[in-house]
Amino acid sequence: MNAKGSAGALSAPGILFAVLGLAAMLAPFMTLAANRIVAGDAIVAWRLAEPGVTLPGLLSLAAGLALGLLAAWPRIRMAGAALGLAGLFWLLMAGTPNLLAGAGEYARVSPAAGFWCLLAVFILLMSDALGNLAPGPLARAALLIAALAALTLVLWSGALSDLSIMQEYAGRKPAFIDAFVRHLGLAFGSLAIAGVIGFPLGILCHSRAQLRGAILPVLSFLQTIPSLAMFGLMIPILGWVGETVPGAQSIGIAGIGFAPAFLALVFYSLLPVVGNTVAGLSAAPPAAIEAARGMGMTQRQRLLRVELPLGLPVILTGVRIVLVQNIGLAVIAGLIGGGGFGTFVFQGLNQTATDLILLGALPTVMLALVAAIAMDILVDLVRTTPEATA
Amino acid sequence: MIEIDKITRLYNGVPAVDAVTMTIETGTVTVIVGTSGSGKTTLLRMINRLEEPSSGEVRINGESTLTIKPHILRRRIGYAIQGHGLFPHHTVARNIGAVPELLNWSADKISARVDELLTLFSMEPETFRNRYPGELSGGQQQRVGVARALASRPDLLLMDEPFGALDPVIRTRAQDDLRRIQKQLGSTIILVTHDMEEAIRLADRVAVMDSGQLVQHGTPAEIITRPATEFVADMVGRVERPLRLLSLVPVSELVEEGVAEGEALPVEASLRDALSACLWTGRAAVPVEQDGVLVGRVTFEAIRARARARAHP
């Protein structure tokens, strides 16, 4: 009886997060290395600085995990997650200067497993609490903006600029901005082209079953080509085009660089765009389509007034899949000189400089996460049909 | 007047509708009855060219439908189907205004028409105008579906099993509403059903389809008393035959002077209702009232005589 009562009061995922979080608090929180290449010494959270400095951070981590247990109050759990995240950054900001003091000119400090695990735990706690709160699309947009603003503030304040990854950044500011622009260009540009080709193709496939039978298997096949192989295959193909087609090289078409990476991403994007367009357009209830025909709508009017509005959430879900997929895949472009954050990842791999890898990987993850959340909000906004209440 | 002239529809050389000829007077309700696969729905769908006839033609007020572009033709013909087919992403008002919108009516004219139709179907415009179909009950959705089909004051209203998805209580109410509204507006309606009971309740003329052919076209009384084939007799049902016949006659036809015990029936009630009241309460006669005032009685004997007289003319 007691067990049943306490299980009702405590959140099951909250218990899991608390156990994982407590375990992660015992793991090394940061590392201190003599330079950017060698492996560092692990330092646990309570040794980062004076007890008077680390204690508030440790307490807010523990309090955050404890608040996450309260199943009945998702708002309190949300606040617990925020408190925990604040504690994490507090420890990071307090530990960095303290560890670096007197550690030598080339010394580097980085967050370690404990930090990353706790970060994951609190983000999961936050999304679990958010799931229970089920905020509307506008509330979610406000939360996203607030989270981004908080992150920007922390980075802009310079409190973390002594961290190893920020040092890697400081040495490559122009390259970073260039990589950022390239990455966006690859991910969004290929999505745009895939949309321009894919939406009309999807609409055609929707109205002609024969075309659908011919095109979808081809696109599925493209999707199964491993990404490295796809990027590699583009090199000879575009290299040949660049050399034989007059004027192709002058607009940047060559075996390596932006063009082959871009084209590979377009190919990967076509299946989700076309497939979801077809699925979305067939989502309209058959009776509604029959009624639309029977009342004298032309095929075009049926498409614009009935099929497209009803299918838009599914179609946008396809766009979301493509966007998140392309932001991730665009990293591979770094390998064939296409630019983007992949450049740092592959440089870092060559130099065994973990923090340089992270300088490429973390912004990619952030970008994908923000794109996914923003697209989810957009999908919810276009879902104009209220759920049946009867 | 709608003239269906030797219309045929072949599927892979097999006729689904085989040279059907039928004339439908303006302002009447014609119900096409048949089993599934009898071609009744195909026949209906050829009228607004959702199916193209293989041969033959349909003329509306003398004009062949083949001379008009299909989507233009359909805007002139109301169409209501089973499961209503409302657009889930549009409000009730936008759904009802769909055809007027296609016909480029002004916004004011459309919204006035929407309110008029909602009122006609006993749905408070203020309450229902801005609701979505998902927020309505099954009966309300069906009424909106019919209101939408009537919105542009079409020459003709086609209905394909419009009440098929409703439960029996709501269905009876919907049928009564349709009859009332049809009388009020003087619409011409062609309705398809597999339910002979529904056909007899609603029809001025019943058309019975069997294997793609029109086997009988006549008044409900003719269909019941003089079935043209065994199939029609089966559709009517031999046991239900006298009751169906009595359901066509209002008690007003047999009201006589005199008094009777018990609860009174209104004059609009059918003889079947009166018979049922006699049998259920063991009375030999029931009182009849008009607008709450007793006007006489109807006797069990008279009902029996009337049923025999009609069955063996």
Side-chain angles (χ1 to χ4, degrees):
Chain A
M1 279 169 66
N2 275 346
K4 197 179 170 189
S6 64
L10 295 183
S11 147
I15 295 171
L16 180 69
F17 296 145
V19 171
L20 289 176
L22 285 174
M25 280 171 76
L26 302 176
F29 194 83
M30 295 181 84
T31 58
L32 173 62
N35 58 51
R36 65 191 281 257
I37 308 294
V38 297
D41 300 322
I43 295 146
V44 291
W46 55 90
R47 296 260 168 76
L48 288 174
E50 305 295 309
V53 180
T54 54
L55 201 61
L58 290 169
L59 283 180
S60 55
L61 290 185
L65 291 172
L67 292 178
L69 293 171
L70 304 170
W73 295 293
R75 278 167 202 278
I76 302 273
R77 300 183 72 211
M78 186 79 196
L83 187 63
L85 288 174
L88 276 179
F89 281 96
W90 169 269
L91 285 172
L92 211 54
M93 289 183 210
T96 308
N98 194 50
L99 292 178
L100 280 177
E105 197 184 339
Y106 298 111
R108 293 293 186 100
V109 286
S110 313
F115 172 84
W116 295 119
C117 291
L118 282 163
L119 185 66
V121 163
F122 284 115
I123 288 176
L124 284 174
L125 174 60
M126 189 174 268
S127 62
D128 186 47
L130 264 180
N132 288 338
L133 279 172
L138 293 179
R140 293 214 307 273
L143 274 174
L144 178 65
I145 290 167
L148 287 178
L151 186 67
T152 313
L153 196 68
V154 168
L155 292 177
W156 178 74
S157 71
L160 295 177
S161 52
D162 286 335
L163 277 181
S164 184
I165 180 171
M166 295 307 287
Q167 302 234 316
E168 299 285 352
Y169 165 69
R172 294 182 174 75
K173 256 185 202 167
F176 184 86
I177 290 167
D178 179 56
F180 184 59
V181 172
R182 278 287 191 108
H183 207 96
L184 288 183
L186 280 171
F188 283 89
S190 60
L191 170 66
I193 297 295
V196 167
I197 301 170
F199 291 135
L201 202 57
I203 289 169
L204 273 178
C205 281
H206 169 65
S207 53
R208 280 171 215 163
Q210 273 182 324
L211 196 66
R212 182 164 63 232
I215 283 184
L216 285 182
V218 173
L219 298 182
S220 295
F221 170 72
L222 281 180
Q223 202 79 4
T224 61
I225 301 176
S227 50
L228 267 179
M230 175 79 99
F231 283 82
L233 279 173
M234 290 300 123
I235 296 176
I237 296 172
L238 283 191
W240 180 79
V241 171
E243 276 165 26
T244 49
V245 178
Q249 249 163 1
S250 63
I251 57 164
I253 293 181
I256 57 168
F258 190 80
F262 190 84
L263 192 61
L265 288 178
V266 169
F267 282 158
Y268 276 125
S269 313
L270 280 177
L271 179 68
V273 171
V274 175
N276 278 56
T277 304
V278 172
L281 292 180
S282 357
I289 299 295
E290 166 77 0
R293 277 190 72 199
M295 73 172 58
M297 284 194 192
T298 59
Q299 195 174 1
R300 190 188 156 80
Q301 286 167 330
R302 286 205 300 279
L303 183 70
L304 291 178
R305 296 180 188 206
V306 184
E307 290 165 329
L308 265 180
L310 285 174
L312 205 53
V314 179
I315 296 171
L316 281 182
T317 305
V319 173
R320 173 196 188 281
I321 293 170
V322 169
L323 194 54
V324 174
Q325 168 191 287
N326 281 7
I327 290 172
L329 276 177
V331 169
I332 315 277
L335 205 58
I336 58 168
F341 289 130
T343 317
F344 299 136
V345 173
F346 290 108
Q347 275 177 16
L349 282 172
N350 287 337
Q351 303 171 9
T352 64
T354 316
D355 293 308
L356 187 52
I357 300 177
L358 285 179
L359 184 65
L362 282 182
T364 309
V365 172
M366 280 297 299
L367 207 55
L369 206 62
V370 171
I373 297 173
M375 284 302 298
D376 280 341
I377 291 170
L378 196 62
V379 169
D380 266 14
L381 283 177
V382 300
R383 210 184 289 277
T384 49
T385 315
E387 302 297 325
T389 51
Chain B
M1 190 169 70
I2 321 292
E3 294 161 280
I4 298 172
D5 189 1
K6 292 202 201 91
I7 206 165
T8 298
R9 169 73 205 198
L10 303 172
Y11 287 117
N12 303 320
V14 181
V17 172
D18 192 0
V20 169
T21 297
M22 178 159 84
T23 301
I24 290 149
E25 296 299 328
T26 302
T28 63
V29 179
T30 300
V31 178
I32 305 173
V33 207
T35 51
S36 44
S38 61
K40 57 187 191 299
T41 294
T42 309
L43 175 61
L44 187 82
R45 288 163 61 89
M46 281 193 286
I47 297 171
N48 64 358
R49 289 179 68 191
L50 283 170
E51 303 275 353
E52 291 294 341
S54 304
S55 65
E57 64 171 11
V58 177
R59 288 183 296 276
I60 298 178
N61 300 328
E63 185 182 11
S64 168
T65 58
L66 296 174
T67 61
I68 311 167
K69 281 212 176 94
H71 66 276
I72 303 293
L73 171 73
R74 289 178 203 142
R75 288 175 195 176
R76 285 172 35 184
I77 299 176
Y79 187 55
I81 54 178
Q82 178 169 11
H84 61 74
L86 296 177
F87 303 137
H89 59 304
H90 285 172
T91 59
V92 165
R94 185 114 197 255
N95 265 291
I96 295 178
V99 181
E101 199 184 312
L102 290 175
L103 295 171
N104 294 322
W105 288 19
S106 72
D108 290 347
K109 198 173 158 197
I110 294 178
S111 97
R113 179 67 178 155
V114 166
D115 287 1
E116 185 187 345
L117 280 163
L118 280 174
T119 310
L120 188 65
F121 280 87
S122 325
M123 294 172 80
E124 178 60 45
E126 293 293 326
T127 316
F128 288 99
R129 203 186 286 137
N130 295 319
R131 291 211 184 158
Y132 284 89
E135 300 169 322
L136 305 179
S137 71
Q140 289 165 343
Q141 289 170 342
Q142 190 276 339
R143 276 184 272 168
V144 174
V146 178
R148 177 173 69 176
L150 288 170
S152 64
R153 300 189 180 85
D155 307 334
L156 170 64
L157 175 58
L158 304 180
M159 308 180 88
D160 189 358
E161 303 258 7
F163 310 122
L166 301 180
D167 68 57
V169 177
I170 298 176
R171 187 184 312 162
T172 310
R173 230 196 98 192
Q175 288 164 347
D176 291 344
D177 277 351
L178 181 68
R179 208 62 177 103
R180 169 177 63 83
I181 287 161
Q182 187 269 338
K183 286 216 175 86
Q184 208 169 323
L185 304 179
S187 330
T188 311
I189 297 179
I190 304 178
L191 184 146
V192 157
T193 181
H194 60 267
D195 179 3
M196 185 57 91
E197 176 87 25
E198 180 166 280
I200 290 168
R201 275 181 78 87
L202 292 175
D204 295 310
R205 290 300 182 101
V206 177
V208 185
M209 294 278 295
D210 181 25
S211 314
Q213 292 185 322
L214 178 65
V215 288
Q216 191 168 8
H217 182 206
T219 63
E222 278 166 13
I223 298 282
I224 296 166
T225 54
R226 289 193 296 276
T229 65
E230 279 299 296
F231 176 79
V232 179
D234 286 345
M235 283 294 289
V236 174
R238 285 163 213 278
V239 178
E240 289 93 350
R241 205 159 45 175
L243 299 174
R244 297 220 155 138
L245 194 57
L246 289 177
S247 75
L248 294 172
V249 188
V251 288
S252 55
E253 286 196 15
L254 289 187
V255 171
E256 57 180 50
E257 295 280 310
V259 289
E261 298 282 304
E263 207 180 327
L265 282 173
V267 280
E268 307 86 37
S270 73
L271 288 183
R272 181 158 78 168
D273 300 332
L275 177 66
S276 170
C278 287
L279 292 173
W280 188 249
T281 56
R283 283 177 286 177
V286 266
V288 177
E289 63 179 19
Q290 189 163 20
D291 304 324
V293 181
L294 284 177
V295 292
R297 65 175 186 182
V298 59
T299 64
F300 183 66
E301 247 347 281
I303 297 170
R304 200 173 70 168
R306 178 63 187 263
R308 271 194 62 83
R310 280 296 202 94
H312 305 281

